[in-house]
Amino acid sequence: MAYTIVVEVDEEFVAGVDVDAIEAAAAAVLRAEGMDDGDLAVFITSDEEVRALNLEWRGIDAPTDVLSFATHDTTEYQEVIRNAPPDLQALFARALGDVLIAYPYAERQATRFGNSTANELLLLTVHGVLHLLGYDHAEPEEEREMFGLQGTILDEWYEDRRHRDRSARQSRRDDDLLRKIGFAETDEG
């Protein structure tokens, strides 16, 4: 599967963001939806940046936790695709859009819901990518579908991560044991 997922974090929030986990969570959504390829970006930024975009695009003068901008939703983008040469049409078709997450908002929300900020960022990443793929929660039925899928994807992602962590710990223990009994080189040698 060929995904291009770019994660950009404002300098002031870098220490609090596991970029690899954000990228993996976004990829988990694409895999769960059976997508073979796709390009998207996740931006972790300030409340002020998200508030400004929320005002510009939704007419709401307030920060929010996550905004999603699906490229396929805009008339301008569709026009660009139609008028592009065939090789560029294929490239443009891969572009899913951008997800913007307000780090301070996510941090406050995590505290309010008894979640870690890291886990809240993962949840918001999954939520935002689902929006890029056309999911919404404006109606109760849509909410049940989207939030159910969001929960399933996160549960599977955490289970996979626990399995990888267990495997890595076991591998380290095996390596340590092999070094102790002389079947592997030591770090010094």
Side-chain angles (χ1 to χ4, degrees):
M1 300 201 187
Y3 307 129
T4 302
I5 301 168
V6 176
V7 179
E8 292 191 19
V9 182
D10 284 4
E11 187 66 34
E12 62 192 293
F13 308 120
V14 167
V17 178
D18 181 345
V19 170
D20 292 336
I22 298 292
E23 185 178 316
V29 177
L30 301 179
R31 274 193 311 279
E33 287 298 290
M35 298 190 69
D36 293 328
D37 59 12
D39 300 339
L40 65 93
V42 178
F43 299 93
I44 313 290
T45 189
S46 67
D47 282 350
E48 295 77 22
E49 181 71 24
V50 171
R51 184 204 60 76
L53 290 167
N54 205 18
L55 177 60
E56 180 180 346
W57 292 95
R58 297 178 63 220
I60 300 171
D61 190 11
T64 188
D65 52 1
V66 61
L67 290 173
S68 295
F69 297 98
T71 52
H72 56 82
D73 283 348
T74 65
T75 305
E76 297 86 5
Y77 190 76
Q78 294 304 321
E79 187 67 24
V80 167
I81 290 175
R82 270 194 303 280
N83 294 322
D87 56 333
L88 285 179
Q89 286 180 2
L91 181 64
F92 289 149
R94 291 176 46 89
L96 300 172
D98 299 328
V99 174
L100 286 92
I101 299 171
Y103 185 91
Y105 196 106
E107 195 171 44
R108 291 188 304 275
Q109 191 163 271
T111 299
R112 185 169 64 245
F113 293 122
N115 203 2
S116 70
T117 301
N119 287 346
E120 191 70 19
L121 291 171
L122 294 174
L123 174 115
L124 294 173
T125 299
V126 169
H127 186 89
V129 175
L130 285 171
H131 275 303
L132 292 181
L133 301 179
Y135 287 90
D136 202 355
H137 48 86
E139 301 295 328
E141 187 175 310
E142 292 174 332
E143 182 176 309
R144 276 191 300 279
E145 179 184 16
M146 182 176 179
F147 287 21
L149 183 55
Q150 181 176 289
T152 299
I153 291 168
L154 284 167
D155 287 347
E156 289 173 2
W157 187 86
Y158 285 121
E159 181 57 34
D160 182 58
R161 188 173 188 179
R162 282 189 290 274
H163 174 73
R164 282 182 286 134
D165 289 348
R166 279 192 303 269
S167 293
R169 282 193 304 275
Q170 185 62 49
S171 181
R172 284 191 301 271
R173 285 193 295 265
D174 291 349
D175 289 346
D176 287 346
L177 178 60
L178 289 172
R179 272 192 294 281
K180 286 179 185 176
I181 62 173
F183 285 106
E185 290 186 28
T186 60
D187 291 336
E188 296 113 24

